[in-house]
Amino acid sequence: GSALSSVFSADGGRIKRADGGSFAEQYQRSKQAQQTAQDVLANYKTEPCKRPPRLCRQGYACPQYHNSKDKRRSPRKFKYRSTPCPNVKHGEEWGEPGNCDAGDSCSYCHTRTEQQFHPEIYKSTKCNDVQQSGYCPRGVFCAFAHVERKCIM
């Protein structure tokens, strides 16, 4: 199994926010959240789902991919920019990644997932769900920022 499977609980991958606690506890939670974000960035949607086709109902909450448009090349193994491949994305529409003859060696991203979870873009924009309702259904698998970075002096 992937490293992600062992990191997330059975409750759909949500991390419950705990308010209060000692500085050491808050620091430990922050370190765990950073490690989780690093694991998601490195591994999310880079391996095929083990369940038979159409039997996985988790969608974005499943750390593995289900089809070619859901798949993501690991940024640790492949070097590609956050810019969409002109052979795959036309206007606002993402086409089939197979439309690019360069395949995995292409220097551009081929899917919305590759773009949103690219190290240059991941967590760089605030999550609309958290801003509007204070809750995000995607939990740790959200590509957008849920908390403001605070500077502790």
Side-chain angles (χ1 to χ4, degrees), residues 51-112:
R51 292 190 178 98
R54 295 190 249 299
L55 286 185
C56 182
R57 299 278 182 239
Q58 290 181 284
Y60 58 77
C62 178
Q64 289 91 28
Y65 67 85
H66 299 97
N67 58 58
S68 62
K69 289 186 178 183
D70 195 31
K71 183 182 177 184
R72 183 173 158 258
R73 292 170 288 174
S74 170
R76 289 184 177 169
K77 295 177 187 166
F78 300 95
K79 300 297 175 215
Y80 57 91
R81 297 184 286 220
S82 59
T83 309
C85 177
N87 296 313
V88 176
K89 189 175 184 196
H90 305 284
E92 294 300 308
E93 288 297 312
W94 288 91
E96 266 305 316
N99 291 343
C100 176
D101 292 336
D104 285 347
S105 62
C106 181
S107 61
Y108 298 100
C109 61
H110 285 159
T111 65
R112 175 177 277 112

Side-chain angles (χ1 to χ4, degrees), residues 40-60:
V40 169
L41 188 58
N43 301 306
Y44 184 64
K45 302 290 185 186
T46 61
E47 299 288 330
C49 184
K50 306 292 185 269
R51 292 190 178 98
R54 295 190 249 299
L55 286 185
C56 182
R57 299 278 182 239
Q58 290 181 284
Y60 58 77

